[in-house]
Amino acid sequence: MESFFNTIKTVPLNHYIMLCSIIFSIGVIGVLIRRNAIVIFMSIELMLNSVNLLLTAFSVYKGDASGQVFVFFVMALAAAEVAVGLAIIVMIYRNTNSIDTNVLNRLKW
Amino acid sequence: MNTFYFIAFLSIFFAILVISAKNPVHSILYLVLTFFTFTIQYVLLNAQFLAIVNFIVYMGAILVLFLYTLMLINLNKDSEPVKSGMVKIAGVLGGGCLLVVLVGCLKQVGVADPVLLKDPNLGLVQNLGKVLFNQFLLPFEISSLLLLSAMVGAVLLATKEKKTA
């Protein structure tokens, strides 16, 4: 078990920041290029998760548990956000029979 | 080959598949795989509590919620909205610019020390619980209020309106 955790000891903090930047950018691209509201939501989850991983990496790097507690709060917030957001998407689907975000550009119908 | 780089490569690969898959159900399944690689990263960082919470809450609860919503919505192949090529290119360019800026900023700083686990008990439930219920007690209670209000809001929004008129 000890040797398993020792593999991480050769990874500099920069590579964690690099990985999380790439995942975050993929999430941004997903929000920009997709029109399906659910896929846009999933891209937002991707961004939230990349930030979670970076917070954890910094928390381990500094030896401070506050970062991991923050990740816990971010997860609680993401759960609340997903519940409300998916309810809104279901309601939009009932009204317009589509989850294309382009249908909503007039904000009323 | 270090485990970190292999898992990082898998994370990026599945994340790209999430946003490029045509079928939303495939997107969700790829997202499950992406989150699983994140769970492995948490285990590698010895953040055991977060690994379990990520596994149960994200992969177990949130993504199943996504799948249920997709089942309610009943998407067909022809109803799947597709953006025009120009918008896609512009979106990729915009996201790519963000990535270039972030990486460019990162190039300015020197290489940091390796991420070392100084305190092996850092990510364990006992240690995190002590911090959570001493230092962060008020935010914890407020987040419970947030979850309650989100639940009430979701139920209110998703129930069908009765025809009152």
Side-chain angles (χ1 to χ4, degrees), chain A:
Chain A
M1 205 63 181
E2 196 59 42
S3 65
F4 181 62
F5 292 120
N6 278 342
T7 61
I8 208 72
K9 291 183 178 172
T10 55
V11 180
L13 188 62
N14 297 44
H15 292 181
Y16 274 100
I17 305 177
M18 200 79 88
L19 167 69
C20 294
S21 310
I22 292 171
I23 302 272
F24 190 89
S25 306
I26 291 173
V28 170
I29 292 172
V31 168
L32 289 176
I33 69 172
R34 295 303 292 258
R35 264 168 54 184
N36 188 331
I38 287 186
V39 181
I40 290 177
F41 244 75
M42 281 155 51
S43 305
I44 293 173
E45 290 299 314
L46 211 56
M47 290 195 268
L48 279 171
N49 255 284
S50 76
V51 174
N52 280 353
L53 179 60
L54 194 54
L55 271 173
T56 314
F58 271 109
S59 157
V60 171
Y61 182 69
K62 300 291 280 184
D64 186 356
S66 309
Q68 304 200 9
V69 175
F70 256 82
V71 173
F72 176 72
F73 285 127
V74 170
M75 281 178 181
L77 190 117
E81 172 239 342
V82 162
V84 174
L86 287 179
I88 289 175
I89 288 177
V90 168
M91 203 183 61
I92 287 173
Y93 181 75
R94 281 214 195 101
N95 284 329
T96 65
N97 266 326
S98 158
I99 52 170
D100 186 349
T101 48
N102 226 30
V103 176
L104 305 171
N105 58 0
R106 290 183 301 278
L107 294 179
K108 61 173 188 175
W109 52 86

Side-chain angles (χ1 to χ4, degrees), chain B residues 109-126:
Chain B
V109 299
V111 174
D113 303 332
V115 178
L116 268 174
L117 195 62
K118 296 185 186 79
D119 178 10
N121 296 323
L122 182 70
L124 302 192
V125 179
Q126 187 185 18

